[in-house]
Amino acid sequence: MAPAGKISGFHRHGNDWFSDASLPSDITLVVDDMNFHLHKFPLISRCGKIANIVEEFQSTSDHTFEVLEEFPGGADTFFMIVEFCYGGRVEFTPRNIVMLYCAADYLDMTDYYDDDNLLPKAESFFHRHILRHWKNCILALQSCEPVIPRADKLQIISRCLNALSVMVCTDPSLFGWPMMMYGTMQSPGGSILWNGINTGVRIYSTKSDWWFEDISCLCVELFERLIRTMEEKGIRPENLVSAIMHYCKKYLPGLDRWHGGQSGISRKVGSFSLRPVTIDRSVLLRTVVKLLPEKKGKSFCRFLLGLLRVALILEVNHTCQDALEKRIGTQLELVTIDSLLIPSYSDSDTLYNTDCVERMVHHFVRSEPSLTSISPSSFVLETSPSSGRLKRVGRLVDNYITEVASDVNLKPGKIRSLAEVLPESSRSLHDGLYRALDIYFKIVQTHPWLSEKEKVQLCGIIDFQKLSIDACAHASQNERLPLRVILQVLFFEQMQLRTAIAGWLNVLHRESAPAASSTAPTEMATQIVQRDGWVTVVRDNQVLKVDMARMRSRVGELEQEFSKIKEGMKNVTKSHSHLSSKGVGPTRDLSSPHSDLSSPPFVAKGVGPARLARRRKNIVYSD
């Protein structure tokens, strides 16, 4: 709004401004619904645009009426120009120089009409007092937002951006007072101030982020253009990334917390204050995704995950979300489990957004061509640099499934798809998957909607040959697992014991063989060291022999019991009618070829329920 009240030479009534001159006005100009009743001669002597308007209206009417559309700066700026045309003095400041500059260009106030006209005055002030001072340049650039097209035409924005980029690379003490001060009063170069006077005493500081807060007062479009200009000028990419992260954390709520909450030095505004900037968060996210360079790092990856959370909350377009997911997926090995637990912000019944995580894992697999071009059992893959990344991501996914398994609304198909995204070579042990399924079965135990068949299919993601001894012992006694799965665990556990004992027996056999007389002294010394080291192996072998003897005894007992059960079941079948009269239902024939209990590879020969019960009694249950 224009200043209220009476000003020297002019007075206002409502939305009308009048000149105090005794002559009646002969031209009315309308700017932003404000009517300025003025005189032609003071205006046409300095404004080429108004001179052309008056010339057009002269042939039709003595009074000229014109609406100035999209006038830069609105009624406030036009009032200052009117005062200048009537012989007043215009005071240029960093806040109004851009508007006056653009308004003078709009009205064609060049030196063609007057040697001391407004446009050359504004150009001179802009060069001498704006482009040479950091503070003034920031303020002028901030004021360009409403008139960006005209400011671009006059190259105001490009000159400000170039000046700021050069000043970032230069000692701040060379180009005037900075926008921000750190802690106590300091000069741009870091000298201590006493009553505003530079004492010359320097404060040692290695901070290169003094300009981050200053440029964060710019709108998204100007901030983006400034970052790209700084990139062209050779500013270090890590500094640009830090500036972008600072800008995002200022305008995206919660991002600082998700990024880790690292608090920097408290900054205080120095010799001037900043006007608040209104930011469209969706536009900011789309711009930042295009602006961020290709970079990897734990902190940067955590920042990307924070941006993804905000994008999901704001429901930004899928292109932006996909770009973030792809960037995170290519460095998924750097992600921590806490930052990967993204809540489901949509109407989904699940607590966590598992679809988003699954897509990121897919991007990781696609970013590693070796995962698809080399066999999982290949020695090259095991020793390649990508193998370590793959194993870390495998552990991360297993931990993630373990965390989300506590959600009772999570469907078994989602767990299966999450586990099968990675290739088989990503897991040397399947203990993590077993732990996740155990938690899931424990949670859904109170909800009978999960059938036995679905449990068996879900257990198919586990390779029981890759379970550790402790996991096998726990699984063999886990009542939450299907019976068929428990028998399979016992089968593979027995096979592992046999393989281990056979290997140790072969080692002992080689140790007991007489050494060749032609063995070199170095080889004999090596054998002595190895013999001393095998003492522990021999002791362990004795224990295993005892365990194997017990196991064979149990197997024999279970085989006998299983035979008795089969004979009993045949008798039950023959006397079916008699048993039915006593309330006994039909019995399943275990000798049938379609019986699940007798079908390999889940049980060894002669294994039955009695053996399973006895096995559960003798194995210690460790949760």
Side-chain angles (χ1 to χ4, degrees):
M1 293 297 295
K6 186 176 180 180
I7 300 178
S8 177
F10 296 91
H11 62 276
R12 176 182 176 181
H13 292 291
N15 289 340
D16 295 279
W17 281 95
F18 298 92
S19 172
D20 291 340
S22 58
L23 295 175
S25 63
D26 53 3
I27 182 172
T28 300
L29 300 175
V30 181
V31 178
D32 291 350
D33 298 328
M34 296 292 295
N35 303 316
F36 292 84
H37 304 275
L38 307 171
H39 302 89
K40 297 178 182 178
F41 181 74
L43 298 178
I44 64 176
S45 63
R46 293 193 171 184
C47 303
K49 183 178 181 65
I50 296 179
N52 294 333
I53 293 173
V54 170
E55 185 177 353
E56 292 176 3
F57 274 87
Q58 239 177 4
S59 58
T60 58
S61 174
D62 293 336
H63 189 92
T64 304
F65 182 90
E66 181 70 15
V67 178
L68 301 180
E69 300 286 350
E70 298 181 355
F71 187 83
D76 292 350
T77 303
F78 186 73
F79 184 82
M80 297 174 65
I81 292 178
V82 168
E83 284 193 309
F84 175 77
C85 292
Y86 275 79
R89 182 174 177 271
V90 174
E91 181 180 358
F92 293 108
T93 67
R95 292 189 185 277
N96 67 19
I97 179 60
V98 173
M99 292 302 172
L100 288 172
Y101 198 159
C102 293
D105 177 73
Y106 179 92
L107 295 173
D108 194 16
M109 301 178 70
T110 62
D111 53 4
Y112 175 81
Y113 299 94
D114 190 353
D115 294 337
D116 197 23
N117 214 343
L118 186 61
L119 187 59
K121 279 179 174 289
E123 176 73 21
S124 176
F125 181 87
F126 183 77
H127 273 285
R128 287 185 300 171
H129 300 284
I130 300 299
L131 298 181
R132 299 180 184 180
H133 299 273
W134 172 268
K135 174 195 70 174
N136 296 343
C137 197
I138 287 287
L139 286 174
L141 189 60
Q142 186 188 32
S143 64
C144 289
E145 182 179 358
V147 290
I148 287 179
R150 187 167 294 273
D152 271 333
K153 172 193 170 185
L154 297 173
Q155 298 183 349
I156 294 175
I157 295 178
S158 60
R159 285 184 286 179
C160 286
L161 296 178
N162 289 328
L164 291 174
S165 301
V166 172
M167 284 186 271
V168 166
C169 305
T170 313
D171 183 1
S173 62
L174 299 180
F175 51 80
W177 190 266
M179 282 191 68
M180 310 306 299
M181 295 178 297
Y182 304 93
T184 58
M185 295 288 289
Q186 299 173 23
S187 72
S191 302
I192 300 176
L193 299 178
W194 180 77
N195 288 342
I197 301 174
N198 193 339
T199 62
V201 180
R202 298 300 297 268
I203 298 177
Y204 178 75
S205 175
T206 59
K207 295 293 179 182
S208 60
D209 61 348
W210 58 269
W211 48 278
F212 290 178
E213 180 66 22
D214 300 353
I215 66 173
S216 67
C217 69
L218 302 176
C219 65
V220 176
E221 181 179 353
L222 294 178
F223 178 82
E224 178 187 6
R225 295 175 61 174
L226 177 59
I227 293 297
R228 296 197 183 279
T229 304
M230 288 182 173
E231 185 179 6
E232 294 174 359
K233 295 296 182 181
I235 306 296
R236 297 173 61 185
E238 52 268 28
N239 288 343
L240 297 180
V241 172
S242 299
I244 296 171
M245 293 167 67
H246 180 88
Y247 188 84
C248 291
K249 285 189 282 187
K250 182 174 181 178
Y251 295 107
L252 297 177
L255 186 60
D256 190 44
R257 181 181 71 254
W258 295 325
H259 184 247
Q262 298 177 353
S263 58
I265 300 176
S266 60
R267 299 174 172 87
K268 299 179 182 179
V269 178
S271 58
F272 65 101
S273 59
L274 300 174
R275 290 196 300 264
V277 182
T278 303
I279 297 294
D280 187 334
R281 297 189 179 101
S282 299
V283 175
L284 173 58
L285 279 171
R286 292 193 294 268
T287 302
V288 167
V289 170
K290 296 184 296 183
L291 199 58
L292 284 173
E294 295 295 334
K295 181 185 175 182
K296 290 187 177 182
K298 290 184 178 181
S299 178
F300 184 69
C301 192
R302 195 177 184 91
F303 170 71
L304 292 177
L305 280 163
L307 290 179
L308 180 59
R309 286 175 183 249
V310 177
L312 292 172
I313 293 174
L314 299 178
E315 297 182 351
V316 184
N317 57 33
H318 293 292
T319 303
C320 179
Q321 295 182 23
D322 292 341
L324 287 170
E325 290 172 358
K326 185 175 181 180
R327 287 194 176 209
I328 298 168
T330 55
Q331 48 186 320
L332 196 60
E333 74 278 3
L334 304 177
V335 177
T336 57
I337 185 63
D338 59 327
S339 57
L340 201 61
L341 294 173
I342 303 173
S344 180
Y345 300 107
S346 61
D347 297 332
S348 176
D349 295 333
T350 57
L351 295 176
Y352 300 102
N353 194 334
T354 55
D355 294 333
C356 178
V357 175
E358 184 177 351
R359 289 192 295 268
M360 287 190 284
V361 179
H362 273 296
H363 287 305
F364 171 78
V365 175
R366 296 192 191 101
S367 67
E368 292 292 335
S370 59
L371 300 182
T372 55
S373 61
I374 302 178
S375 173
S377 59
S378 175
F379 175 78
V380 178
L381 179 60
E382 292 297 327
T383 57
S384 64
S386 61
S387 176
R389 298 181 62 220
L390 182 61
K391 295 293 178 62
R392 288 194 293 272
V393 174
R395 289 192 295 269
L396 177 68
V397 172
D398 290 351
N399 292 334
Y400 177 78
I401 298 176
T402 303
E403 291 290 336
V404 301
S406 58
D407 183 7
V408 70
N409 293 322
L410 189 65
K411 302 301 181 184
K414 180 52 62 178
I415 295 181
R416 189 180 185 93
S417 61
L418 280 171
E420 293 177 346
V421 172
L422 290 172
E424 190 67 25
S425 58
S426 62
R427 299 178 179 92
S428 56
L429 286 177
H430 280 214
D431 289 11
L433 289 177
Y434 169 71
R435 183 170 60 253
L437 290 189
D438 185 44
I439 293 174
Y440 185 68
F441 290 153
K442 185 184 299 183
I443 294 297
V444 301
Q445 199 169 21
T446 57
H447 298 267
W449 57 265
L450 189 64
S451 65
E452 196 74 8
K453 182 179 179 181
E454 289 177 321
K455 286 186 178 181
V456 173
Q457 291 177 348
L458 193 55
C459 290
I461 64 176
I462 301 177
D463 185 355
F464 295 100
Q465 299 185 71
K466 291 186 177 182
L467 289 181
S468 64
I469 296 177
D470 293 336
C472 281
H474 188 280
S476 63
Q477 303 179 76
N478 193 344
E479 297 180 354
R480 290 183 289 271
L481 295 179
L483 178 61
R484 185 174 180 178
V485 174
I486 296 177
L487 293 175
Q488 190 173 2
V489 173
L490 292 173
F491 174 75
F492 285 117
E493 185 182 13
Q494 185 179 1
M495 289 182 59
Q496 289 176 359
L497 286 173
R498 288 181 178 178
T499 304
I501 292 174
W504 282 327
L505 289 176
N506 291 335
V507 171
L508 291 176
H509 178 72
R510 287 196 299 268
E511 280 292 317
S512 60
S517 58
S518 61
T519 303
T522 55
E523 295 178 350
M524 293 181 63
T526 303
Q527 290 179 359
I528 293 173
V529 173
Q530 291 178 348
R531 188 177 296 111
D532 294 337
W534 287 115
V535 173
T536 304
V537 177
V538 173
R539 292 175 183 172
D540 294 340
N541 182 55
Q542 297 298 328
V543 177
L544 288 172
K545 283 183 178 179
V546 175
D547 290 340
M548 281 300 300
R550 292 177 180 173
M551 180 65 71
R552 289 172 182 171
S553 176
R554 291 179 197 145
V555 170
E557 293 175 1
L558 291 172
E559 287 177 349
Q560 293 177 3
E561 292 180 6
F562 187 66
S563 299
K564 292 179 182 179
I565 291 174
K566 291 176 68 177
E567 292 296 331
M569 295 302 295
K570 290 179 181 179
N571 296 333
V572 168
T573 305
K574 293 177 181 179
S575 58
H576 179 269
S577 59
H578 176 70
L579 294 175
S580 299
S581 63
K582 293 185 179 183
V584 179
T587 308
R588 186 178 183 182
D589 187 6
L590 296 181
S591 62
S592 173
H594 300 289
S595 174
D596 292 338
L597 294 177
S598 60
S599 57
F602 298 100
V603 295
K605 181 180 179 182
V607 179
R611 178 189 173 187
L612 176 61
R614 189 179 299 276
R615 173 65 174 163
R616 290 179 176 174
K617 282 184 179 180
N618 290 286
I619 297 180
V620 179
Y621 185 87
S622 58
D623 236 327

